[in-house]
Amino acid sequence: MSSRTGYPRAFLLASSILASFLFVDVPGALAQATREQLPPIEVAPQGDHNRKPVTSRDGQGTRRAAPKRAASSAPAQKPAALNASQTPLNSNVVAESASRLGLTVREVPATVEVISAETIREQGYRTVSDVAQGAVGVTAGDNPAEPSAFSMRGFTNSQINILYNGIKIGPQNMTSRIMDTANLEAVEFVKGPASVMSGEGAAGGAVNLVTKQPHTGPVQNEAFFSYDSLNSFRSYYGSGGSTNVQGLDYRFDVSRSSLNGFADDTGTKTLDVSSQLNYRVSDSLKIWGAIEYREDRGKAYWGAPLVPVAFSGSHATTGIVSGNYFNRTDLGSVTIDDRSFNTNYNVLDNRNVAQEVWLRGGFELKLAPDLTLKSQAYGYGAERTWFNNEIEAFDSTNNQVYRERFYVAHSQRLVGNITDLIWDANIAGFDNRLVTTSSSSYLDFVRPGAANFPNDYVSLVDPNRGYYGDLTTKQQIARIDNEALSFEDRLKLTRTFALIGGLRVEHIGLDRNSTDKFGLENAGFPFSKDWAPVTGRIGYTWEAVPGLTFFSQYATGADVSANNIFLLAPTQPLDLTTSRTYETGIKHLFWDNRAEWSFSAYDILRKNVYAAAGGMQLNIAGRQESKGVELAGAVRVTDAMRLWGNIAYVDARYADYNFAGGSFSGNTPPNVPRIVANAGASYRFFTPWPVELGIVGRHVGDRYNTDANTVTLNAYTIADVYAFVDVPKAVFSAVEQTRLTFRVRNITDRRYAIWGDPFYPDQVLLGAPRTYEISAAFKW
């Protein structure tokens, strides 16, 4: 495929095979006894993550016990975490995106947050972006050019890896889509550089989306329906449990939604179908297979244009944006004109579409009491299309909105394998667990795009939206092969003190080609490039007294310095950034597991940074520094009352960011608020028909929409309220649980800017106004 030397891939694959045989042949490995300090690995489907017990409100208090899992037809010893009590911050679950050692969140020397399906349901999180808004220190924006974009610890977009059941499909700003939460078991947030776990791209952390998994036991069914004041609806049905075939468990979920936007003729329709079969062949072997289909079709909302205060006059708003702006023309002091709140400037024939298919399968084999082999193979395919007017820039020379079209499509194919060898051993009398992971993947990416950009002018109020016009295309191709060998180890020096470390050696091979509208290769193409990043982490956990754990870690990450790996051009610098973090903190569970809090402080440095300068340009940003603290807590005050809250502070800024036109050193990266806080409370009335009332508030500080920091997206505070009633089983005897919910989102009808795309600095995305929602959920 290219002229690249093949030794990095061969070396890594050979090393992986050799390491596996070496560990199998270690004397005494087969006879190693199960150890109390490190829970044994359960033979379970990859992605199951040993999730139970889970809390009903991660970080927001425990609601009810998780349903007990029936005995397996071929029982295996369960990890200690399965038998532990639930905790208010959900720190007893295992997140494989944070560690492959089978450790609970409380045992990992890093800040990890797992938001469960129960919390997603109770808080009314409809999309993955909604879930992120409820996490500690995380913000999100569904900019249609880069849906499900996140900001976390001072980093945004493709500096944060997005994983699907632990698998990366590409940089966020190319591959993420708006995704309904109905088919998800949990969303995991791993804070700070995390490349040792998920590879290139995790300079700011990783977000893992985990689909629902089969369970062993009686079949359980669930369904829900919802409708809101924007005429949006959601529907879902799920079922899972044991079949009549001994050892065979299944899971099936299907959801459909139509989420209408508040702007005219905008919204997204989604369809998600997922299923999985687990088959326990024997006490030591389980095989599994999964398939998923996802589809989303949207009429995109690209935001409201920045408008001069002098032009808007009495229609100028306050508290949404502020500052002065110059791009196409000098707008002076800017505002959002209230006449544009619900205006859609996109062309009438716009579309934003994606179809995705997943195939996954694998096995888990217990080779010996202390030796387990896990492997999964996967295939992924996606077709995506953007066909829109994407630029809407107010022009002060004619007091109209300049519009410009853009088209791009993706045809993506990905195949790969991930294999783990887990070995429990005793080193000089100390309990130790070592996981060796070998992974490889091959990706083919074809990207036809616009070669011309039709444009026009329309009025700010009641624009004539028109149609896209003539389209001329060109094509880009990227082929990427990736191989990695990683090691993760936990050594227990005492019953309460453990050292945890990891190392990842990765090879990335890129072949790029690009042709013009006549099919002729562009200058500098084709070309190839190789990288071999080495990343790692080292840390400790110390449970000073029962329930009180101190932790610290040093970790590193790497990502592509310019834009992302799919779009690199021969003239762009092709080096990787390097990032490192120092982090320390406390995790405390007390009051008979009724209260829990966590605190962390961190210092992150990312070098060799390139940043968006608007108009699809890149500037050399030099270094990016991020320092901050995070605090989260939850308590069940009484059986009826729960309180929870969190706050995050981050000071993120550029250093050595100099260019011909000046310097942005000291400026804050776009979409990074200094303060993010969430708080909530609920009270349950134990009446014949139990009723629960709740309120959730969120504050997001000032942000900027470009590196220049001349326009501020002003701070905002919003609140949601909800009430649900649990209908007694006697009313509907065939249904075990019935819940009716009424929810008001943004109860004060606050107008605010939620996100700004630095590549499209002339416009910002507004948050949704007050909406009302009713829903009904059933379990039987």
Side-chain angles (χ1 to χ4, degrees):
M1 183 175 64
S2 74
S3 60
R4 292 198 315 272
T5 175
Y7 81 86
R9 172 165 50 189
F11 170 76
L12 286 172
L13 292 176
S15 299
S16 175
I17 296 171
L18 177 60
S20 297
F21 279 107
L22 285 176
F23 290 133
V24 170
D25 291 336
V26 171
L30 297 180
Q32 181 64 40
T34 302
R35 304 188 179 278
E36 177 185 357
Q37 291 90 340
L38 283 172
I41 295 293
E42 181 190 25
V43 178
Q46 191 148 348
D48 183 62
H49 297 184
N50 301 321
R51 290 203 167 275
K52 297 187 178 181
V54 298
T55 67
S56 64
R57 189 184 298 275
D58 311 313
Q60 299 162 4
T62 303
R63 173 160 186 76
R64 62 177 64 85
K68 293 184 178 180
R69 188 170 179 171
S72 168
S73 58
Q77 188 172 0
K78 298 185 185 303
L82 288 176
N83 302 316
S85 299
Q86 298 181 27
T87 71
L89 289 181
N90 204 24
S91 62
N92 264 7
V93 297
V94 174
E96 278 198 5
S97 58
S99 174
R100 306 183 81 85
L101 290 164
L103 304 178
T104 65
V105 167
R106 202 162 56 254
E107 296 170 316
V108 176
T111 301
V112 182
E113 185 174 5
V114 180
I115 297 182
S116 72
E118 187 72 13
T119 297
I120 290 171
R121 186 162 49 248
E122 288 195 357
Q123 290 300 299
Y125 298 146
R126 297 175 295 182
T127 68
V128 170
S129 293
D130 290 344
V131 178
Q133 298 280 16
V136 182
V138 184
T139 57
D142 278 330
N143 171 28
E146 303 172 359
S148 297
F150 304 122
S151 174
M152 189 164 69
R153 289 196 169 180
F155 299 89
T156 57
N157 298 89
S158 55
Q159 299 156 25
I160 300 169
N161 270 347
I162 308 300
L163 311 175
Y164 299 86
N165 294 297
I167 300 170
K168 179 185 175 182
I169 62 173
Q172 176 279 325
N173 60 350
M174 294 287 287
T175 59
S176 290
R177 304 294 302 178
I178 294 177
M179 183 176 176
D180 196 281
T181 58
N183 293 49
L184 295 180
E185 175 66 26
V187 180
E188 304 168 351
F189 295 87
V190 182
K191 309 290 185 65
S195 290
V196 70
M197 291 304 303
S198 57
E200 177 274 325
V207 179
N208 187 30
L209 312 177
V210 184
T211 53
K212 292 180 178 177
Q213 306 292 319
H215 72 273
T216 300
V219 171
Q220 296 178 348
N221 302 285
E222 54 185 325
F224 74 74
F225 308 91
S226 71
Y227 181 82
D228 73 12
S229 54
L230 293 175
N231 294 323
S232 300
F233 76 85
R234 297 175 67 220
S235 58
Y236 162 78
Y237 169 75
S239 179
S242 297
T243 69
N244 292 329
V245 178
Q246 186 173 358
L248 181 65
D249 304 328
Y250 80 96
R251 181 74 204 185
F252 174 79
D253 299 275
V254 57
S255 61
R256 185 70 184 257
S257 71
S258 178
L259 302 177
N260 292 328
F262 59 89
D264 298 334
D265 189 28
T266 61
T268 300
K269 297 179 179 180
T270 68
L271 171 65
D272 194 337
V273 183
S274 57
S275 62
Q276 181 166 324
L277 291 174
N278 296 345
Y279 181 53
R280 186 179 294 278
V281 180
S282 66
D283 289 355
S284 58
L285 175 62
K286 177 180 285 185
I287 59 176
W288 61 275
I291 183 171
E292 182 173 1
Y293 173 79
R294 287 201 301 264
E295 176 182 303
D296 66 86
R297 298 179 177 275
K299 291 283 192 177
Y301 165 65
W302 290 87
L306 299 173
V307 177
V309 172
F311 173 83
S312 291
S314 62
H315 293 283
T317 59
T318 59
I320 301 178
V321 299
S322 59
N324 295 281
Y325 181 68
F326 175 85
N327 188 21
R328 291 182 51 81
T329 59
D330 187 356
L331 302 186
S333 180
V334 294
T335 186
I336 299 297
D337 193 297
D338 63 17
R339 293 170 294 182
S340 69
F341 278 169
N342 304 107
T343 303
N344 181 3
Y345 295 93
N346 207 345
V347 291
L348 291 169
D349 54 345
N350 77 90
R351 62 182 182 274
N352 194 343
V353 180
Q355 296 94 29
E356 302 170 274
V357 176
W358 274 103
L359 292 172
R360 298 181 293 121
F363 68 88
E364 298 190 11
L365 174 64
K366 188 171 285 294
L367 300 171
D370 298 315
L371 200 62
T372 302
L373 182 67
K374 301 165 54 177
S375 183
Q376 75 161 316
Y378 58 86
Y380 169 78
E383 302 290 332
R384 311 181 189 97
T385 302
W386 288 259
F387 185 83
N388 298 278
N389 184 94
E390 298 193 2
I391 293 177
E392 46 196 61
F394 190 85
D395 191 318
S396 60
T397 61
N398 59 20
N399 291 333
Q400 289 186 305
V401 176
Y402 170 79
R403 302 193 309 170
E404 189 173 289
R405 321 286 195 263
F406 186 73
Y407 162 82
V408 70
H410 298 169
S411 181
Q412 180 178 353
R413 301 294 181 269
L414 173 70
V415 294
N417 175 269
I418 302 173
T419 298
D420 297 329
L421 184 67
I422 304 109
W423 178 42
D424 287 319
N426 183 277
I427 300 177
F430 300 113
D431 288 282
N432 190 78
R433 174 171 291 166
L434 174 67
V435 178
T436 303
T437 301
S438 172
S439 62
S440 61
S441 66
Y442 176 80
L443 186 148
D444 187 89
F445 193 90
V446 180
R447 183 179 182 267
N452 68 319
F453 308 96
N455 59 82
D456 58 13
Y457 288 89
V458 297
S459 61
L460 179 71
V461 181
D462 296 327
N464 179 8
R465 292 171 55 190
Y467 294 89
Y468 188 100
D470 294 334
L471 173 64
T472 304
T473 64
K474 56 185 179 180
Q475 185 164 276
Q476 298 174 330
I477 296 173
R479 293 185 173 91
I480 303 167
D481 56 79
N482 183 291
E483 301 85 28
L485 179 65
S486 63
F487 305 91
E488 194 178 6
D489 189 87
R490 186 199 198 205
L491 177 65
K492 295 213 69 175
L493 297 179
T494 71
R495 292 180 62 85
T496 60
F497 187 89
L499 294 176
I500 300 168
L503 181 69
R504 181 186 182 99
V505 181
E506 189 169 7
H507 166 251
I508 306 167
L510 169 69
D511 290 284
R512 287 272 286 114
N513 203 354
S514 176
T515 58
D516 62 18
K517 62 182 180 180
F518 302 108
L520 302 176
E521 290 178 344
N522 290 315
F525 288 93
F527 76 91
S528 300
K529 179 69 177 179
D530 288 87
W531 299 271
V534 179
T535 56
R537 76 174 175 196
I538 183 70
Y540 73 85
T541 58
W542 175 40
E543 191 172 14
V545 297
L548 179 64
T549 301
F550 294 87
F551 73 91
S552 297
Q553 73 158 339
Y554 170 81
T556 61
D559 64 330
V560 176
S561 59
N563 213 318
N564 69 57
I565 200 169
F566 291 144
L567 298 181
L568 287 172
T571 57
Q572 289 178 322
L574 300 178
D575 296 327
L576 294 178
T577 71
T578 58
S579 55
R580 63 95 181 123
T581 184
Y582 297 102
E583 181 176 7
T584 188
I586 305 171
K587 303 173 184 180
H588 190 196
L589 176 66
F590 62 104
W591 197 14
D592 194 25
N593 291 357
R594 296 171 65 92
E596 187 172 17
W597 64 276
S598 66
F599 169 83
S600 61
Y602 59 88
D603 181 329
I604 304 175
L605 175 64
R606 181 173 179 246
K607 297 180 180 180
N608 191 38
V609 177
Y610 279 67
M616 303 303 289
Q617 301 298 310
L618 293 168
N619 280 337
I620 300 175
R623 293 183 294 133
Q624 186 175 343
E625 301 170 352
S626 180
K627 301 178 181 179
V629 294
E630 296 175 352
L631 176 66
V635 59
R636 177 176 283 282
V637 182
T638 67
D639 289 342
M641 178 180 289
R642 293 171 294 168
L643 303 174
W644 63 92
N646 56 68
I647 185 169
Y649 169 86
V650 60
D651 181 10
R653 59 186 64 245
Y654 293 116
D656 302 329
Y657 191 162
N658 304 307
F659 53 96
S663 174
F664 289 157
S665 293
N667 285 11
T668 300
N671 296 304
V672 175
R674 183 159 292 193
I675 295 285
V676 177
N678 292 280
S682 69
Y683 191 89
R684 186 171 180 83
F685 298 89
F686 294 99
T687 53
W689 286 35
V691 175
E692 184 165 321
L693 305 178
I695 182 170
V696 182
R698 178 171 179 81
H699 174 80
V700 177
D702 289 345
R703 296 133 292 141
Y704 302 103
N705 72 327
T706 68
D707 292 332
N709 287 186
T710 57
V711 174
T712 300
L713 312 184
N714 294 137
Y716 64 89
T717 302
I718 57 175
D720 299 346
V721 296
Y722 63 87
F724 59 72
V725 55
D726 290 328
V727 180
K729 184 178 180 180
V731 178
F732 303 111
S733 58
V735 180
E736 184 177 343
Q737 298 177 32
T738 301
R739 172 169 292 178
L740 305 177
T741 303
F742 177 72
R743 191 180 310 273
V744 184
R745 305 178 189 273
N746 189 6
I747 190 170
T748 62
D749 201 23
R750 177 77 159 87
R751 288 287 186 172
Y752 61 98
I754 193 170
W755 199 259
D757 184 347
F759 284 110
Y760 295 135
D762 304 279
Q763 61 225 49
V764 298
L765 272 74
L766 301 181
R770 179 171 54 228
T771 57
Y772 304 90
E773 181 185 78
I774 56 173
S775 64
F778 310 91
K779 290 185 179 182
W780 68 98

